[in-house]
Amino acid sequence: MNRPIVAFLLVLVLYAVASEKVRAGDEAAKALAGTAAALIDQGRRADAIRRLQLPDQPLVALGAFDLLILHYYWQKEDLPVVVDLARGAIVYGRSHAESEAAAEVRSRILLRVKAIAYNLASFTWPGWGEEGIVVRKADREQGVTAADLNLRLAKKLDRGSKALSAAYWIVGAHQLTSGEPSTAAMSFERAKHYAGKAGDRPGELMNRGYIGVALALGGKPMDGMGTIRSAISQLEAEGSGDALFYAAQLADVGRRLIGADWRNGGGNRRIESGPVVFQFPAWGAAGRYHILKRLLVPDSPYRREARLHDFEELVLARLTSMQRDLDPWFYVPGTVDDAVFAAAGKGALSPAEAVSLSEVFGVMEERIAKLRAAHEDVLKAFEDSLRTEQAARSLELLAEFTGVPSLMLTIFAVPTPGEAAVVTRLPGSLVIEVPRGGDMDRAVIREVAFALLMRKEDVLWAAVDGTEGLSSETLAEGVALALVGGGPEQAWAQPLGPKLRKAMTDGDLETLLAEAVEAWSASRGK
């Protein structure tokens, strides 16, 4: 028999022996746990812990401890028993590890100790608010010690980035509920860093949300709540099991620790209207930035209503002096700090400019908040208008006509003191300036029609092929305007109205586009 075959068979034999030992150890741990549980239920907790502390089988003993800790937390909801068991296991396990000569066995013992320390830290964190579990001050103190031990062991045993992320998170969680929000934010930042190194995107976003909780508890409620909402929105968009679990967890913890409900009036609000889903990100960087930009425009409605003070003019001038396009960083869900840091991180802002821009937002925050508060009812009325049966039916007809079954549109709704709706198109989203008493139906239907048509860009390109000066976007814009009765923006499209109605009845998009191209060419004298 040659050596490779012998080696292979030896590996199989060793694997089978090891597997049998693991199974035997598991069974022994279950039996030991059963014996100890009987003692605990008789009120003999100290005797149970002594019975568990086997002199020569540390892995079996720690396995039994682990089973009991989980049982008395989840099934019995008896935290005092859990704390005593975990403390006994940790002392026992560390003692055995110190006296163990074999490095591999020592590492396995400490891994068990680390897992028990993490569970103790988690089970004694008051942020969960588990029904039936009362966390005493003494329990919290044990949890803080266990969280620190778990972090030290994660480093000592070189458990990798994911373990370090979890370890820093539980340390930060206890700092959060111990009145140390600034320290907690630093721990969550480290946890986020290691989640990124591990390729754990949901973990990164979750820790970003906890940074928001720390900010809110540390005296920055607006930034904190914006960060939490943004993290929850992005986790929900990720859509994985972990991401959705973390989103729900963040919402519950935020409500419990800060008293804010992210599900009602916070986070991404979604409105389904026929085949279209409108998504409204939380009021954050985009709305604030948009208003600042409008305040810089001479004779804008914003500027007329604001009546800026001289010092505000000077502050806003800093934004003008940067002379660059910051739209990609600000017209996204998230807080002002998120946008500033992202822009600085990619070199779009120097460190000095980032600080200066943050100061601009800080100075103008009260002015922006007053404008939004004064028009809050307008924004609500706008959202309510999208929920009507008439709106849903109009959008269904558009979807049927274009052959696009569904569409999601992200809308940053911003109040305007002006009389007309103004729409700014961005990649994947819209900024809509909503006027008081203005008719928004026309603007929304036009934008949905445009977005649906642009999803049929191959059909648009086929229609404009060979027509010099006409783009697919201009063609879609004209047809969208014709749907709502035309407008001065694309006057050539106004005569399409009667033809449009027939085309929609016949479901003939291609013919309508051909006639639109002819109308455009005629308006240019071609």
Side-chain angles (χ1 to χ4, degrees):
M1 189 180 292
N2 60 40
R3 280 187 179 180
I5 294 175
V6 171
F8 176 68
L9 291 176
L10 182 59
V11 167
L12 287 179
V13 170
L14 290 173
Y15 177 78
V17 170
S19 298
E20 188 59 38
K21 283 184 177 179
V22 169
R23 282 194 293 272
D26 289 344
E27 290 304 315
K30 288 177 186 175
L32 181 59
T35 302
L39 292 171
I40 292 170
D41 293 343
Q42 294 168 19
R44 299 167 59 191
R45 195 182 309 173
D47 290 340
I49 290 172
R50 282 193 291 272
R51 178 70 184 85
L52 287 164
Q53 292 174 332
L54 300 175
D56 55 357
Q57 292 180 283
L59 292 173
V60 170
L62 289 170
F65 269 116
D66 202 19
L67 290 170
L68 287 168
I69 288 165
L70 296 175
H71 172 72
Y72 278 94
Y73 184 79
W74 293 113
Q75 274 74 48
K76 297 284 190 175
E77 297 179 346
D78 193 336
L79 190 58
V81 170
V82 168
V83 171
D84 285 349
L85 285 168
R87 286 176 61 198
I90 289 169
V91 170
Y92 166 80
R94 294 181 75 185
S95 173
H96 266 274
E98 286 176 10
S99 60
E100 177 58 54
E104 184 186 349
V105 177
R106 185 165 60 249
S107 292
R108 289 172 64 193
I109 292 170
L110 288 176
L111 275 175
R112 286 278 194 174
V113 170
K114 179 187 174 300
I116 290 169
Y118 183 89
N119 281 338
L120 175 57
S122 177
F123 294 161
T124 55
W125 187 52
W128 298 132
E130 288 286 349
E131 205 171 318
I133 299 289
V134 177
V135 182
R136 306 163 300 178
K137 182 174 182 291
D139 300 330
R140 293 202 305 272
E141 290 170 353
Q142 291 296 328
V144 169
T145 302
D148 289 339
L149 174 61
N150 174 67
L151 175 57
R152 292 201 308 274
L153 289 175
K155 293 176 180 178
K156 179 176 181 176
L157 298 171
D158 195 19
R159 295 304 295 163
S161 295
K162 192 153 188 176
L164 282 171
S165 177
Y168 274 114
W169 174 81
I170 193 62
V171 166
H174 275 282
Q175 290 164 338
L176 198 62
T177 50
S178 298
E180 305 170 36
S182 297
T183 311
M186 289 190 284
S187 294
F188 293 138
E189 194 63 60
R190 291 188 181 101
K192 178 171 166 283
H193 166 74
Y194 282 110
K197 284 189 71 173
D200 179 11
R201 179 61 175 161
E204 272 191 285
L205 293 171
M206 179 200 73
N207 279 290
R208 183 166 171 266
Y210 276 96
I211 291 168
V213 177
L215 287 171
L217 291 175
K220 295 183 177 179
M222 291 187 69
D223 285 344
M225 287 189 258
T227 300
I228 297 167
R229 287 169 179 152
S230 173
I232 289 174
S233 298
Q234 291 182 69
L235 283 165
E236 290 175 337
E238 282 277 316
S240 66
D242 282 349
L244 295 176
F245 174 80
Y246 291 150
Q249 181 194 101
L250 266 175
D252 290 340
V253 169
R255 182 167 52 246
R256 190 168 298 111
L257 296 185
I258 307 171
D261 191 342
W262 316 111
R263 298 296 181 192
N264 299 311
N268 271 15
R269 299 182 304 288
R270 292 161 62 95
I271 296 172
E272 296 186 20
S273 187
V276 181
V277 176
F278 297 98
Q279 183 166 265
F280 290 83
W283 177 254
R288 291 173 169 86
Y289 177 69
H290 189 83
I291 289 175
L292 285 187
K293 287 182 67 174
R294 286 291 186 258
L295 285 171
L296 289 169
V297 177
D299 297 325
S300 72
Y302 293 92
R303 199 172 178 86
R304 287 196 298 272
E305 181 175 279
R307 299 177 185 274
L308 297 174
H309 301 302
D310 289 344
F311 83 92
E312 290 175 318
E313 297 273 16
L314 290 171
V315 168
L316 282 174
R318 293 193 210 173
L319 185 61
T320 310
S321 69
M322 291 179 191
Q323 292 295 314
R324 66 198 65 187
D325 179 18
L326 297 174
D327 291 3
W329 314 108
F330 283 90
Y331 284 123
V332 293
T335 67
V336 168
D337 283 348
D338 293 336
V340 171
F341 292 149
K346 294 296 184 180
L349 290 171
S350 69
E353 286 173 328
V355 171
S356 180
L357 187 53
S358 293
E359 290 173 352
V360 171
F361 279 101
V363 170
M364 299 303 296
E365 175 60 34
E366 186 176 351
R367 172 77 70 179
I368 294 169
K370 282 181 179 177
L371 173 68
R372 180 173 170 80
H375 295 264
E376 192 71 44
D377 58 330
V378 173
L379 297 178
K380 185 178 185 308
F382 167 50
E383 292 186 18
D384 288 345
S385 72
L386 301 177
R387 295 185 171 94
T388 64
E389 188 176 335
Q390 181 181 351
R393 182 56 188 150
S394 297
L395 299 178
E396 281 172 5
L397 290 171
L398 280 173
E400 289 171 9
F401 177 53
T402 57
V404 179
S406 63
L407 177 72
M408 177 178 281
L409 269 181
T410 297
I411 295 179
F412 298 102
V414 182
T416 177
E419 296 179 359
V422 178
V423 179
T424 304
R425 292 188 188 127
L426 302 165
S429 63
L430 303 171
V431 179
I432 298 184
E433 295 178 23
V434 184
R436 182 175 295 278
D439 179 11
M440 289 300 300
D441 291 347
R442 187 172 178 275
V444 172
I445 290 174
R446 181 190 71 209
E447 292 305 323
V448 171
F450 177 79
L452 289 168
L453 287 164
M454 289 304 292
R455 294 281 288 274
K456 305 286 286 186
E457 199 162 9
D458 55 336
V459 179
L460 293 170
W461 275 115
V464 303
D465 186 35
T467 307
E468 186 179 350
L470 179 61
S471 67
S472 59
E473 188 169 321
T474 300
L475 181 60
E477 176 72 40
V479 173
L481 280 165
L483 280 165
V484 292
E489 303 98 319
Q490 303 282 3
W492 61 269
Q494 291 182 17
L496 291 177
K499 297 177 180 178
L500 179 64
R501 283 188 287 276
K502 183 177 186 306
M504 289 190 74
T505 302
D506 298 341
D508 190 357
L509 175 61
E510 285 80 1
T511 298
L512 176 68
L513 292 177
E515 290 175 344
V517 170
E518 286 181 17
W520 182 88
S521 298
S523 72
R524 298 295 187 276
K526 295 183 179 181

